[in-house]
Amino acid sequence: MPRWFIRFAVSAYHRLCRMLWFVTRPHSQGVQAVVRTEAGEVVLVRLSYRAGWHLPGGGLKRGEDAQAAMLRELREEIGLTACRSIAEVARFEHVIDYKRDTVRVFLVEGAVYRGRRSLEVEAVAAFAVGALPEGLGSRARGFVARFAG
């Protein structure tokens, strides 16, 4: 299937979800991670439905522990195979796409991964802390500076 079609389909699905969220205004629980390799680089993802680079993460499933959700998301998004340590380091709330999110941020040290693409993830790459890519949002940059710098 052509890559442009997959991007179009995932983006259309996300737009439909946003319309539903406009009406229902849900509250969701999410996780994000500042992932550092043994070399000290930070692992970021480029998603098919949002512009720019992002910290890996996602939503919690019903009844799922936040750390378990973070590990599941890292396996799905970056192909995490091992890590030395994982610790919750921050928590914030924000409203995005008409839904209120409570997000827990984790610091993952010594990550071993094998980047992989999927319908959701277009690219996975590791960057030196001092050479983060254009398109990384200010909140993510702040977390990287605070916890990986």
Side-chain angles (χ1 to χ4, degrees):
M1 193 170 295
R3 199 84 183 131
W4 66 267
F5 180 77
I6 293 170
R7 185 179 183 95
F8 173 79
V10 172
S11 294
Y13 172 75
H14 191 254
R15 277 189 224 111
L16 287 172
C17 287
R18 287 178 55 201
M19 287 190 288
L20 176 65
W21 297 333
F22 178 78
V23 174
T24 61
R25 308 290 173 144
H27 180 208
S28 62
Q29 302 285 320
V31 291
Q32 290 184 330
V34 176
V35 180
R36 287 176 39 129
T37 65
E38 286 294 342
E41 294 180 313
V42 177
V43 180
L44 301 172
V45 295
R46 196 171 62 225
L47 303 172
S48 60
Y49 55 90
R50 288 176 61 197
W53 289 90
H54 303 276
L55 297 174
L60 273 72
K61 294 181 178 179
R62 188 176 306 270
E64 186 176 32
D65 173 74
Q67 185 168 322
M70 187 71 265
L71 290 170
R72 175 183 51 77
E73 287 290 341
L74 291 176
R75 285 190 297 273
E76 291 173 3
E77 289 192 359
I78 69 169
L80 182 75
T81 58
C83 66
R84 187 175 63 248
S85 67
I86 181 170
E88 186 175 334
V89 293
R91 185 182 296 206
F92 67 94
E93 288 200 17
H94 69 133
V95 175
I96 187 167
D97 295 332
Y98 310 107
K99 63 179 178 158
R100 188 168 48 109
D101 258 346
T102 299
V103 180
R104 295 176 180 171
V105 181
F106 290 84
L107 175 61
V108 178
E109 295 279 5
V112 177
Y113 73 100
R114 49 180 163 28
R116 55 190 224 190
R117 291 169 50 175
S118 67
L119 291 177
E120 180 183 20
V121 177
E122 289 187 339
V124 177
F127 299 91
V129 173
L132 297 174
E134 292 287 325
L136 181 63
S138 60
R139 180 177 286 143
R141 279 185 189 279
F143 284 133
V144 170
R146 185 171 167 196
F147 301 114

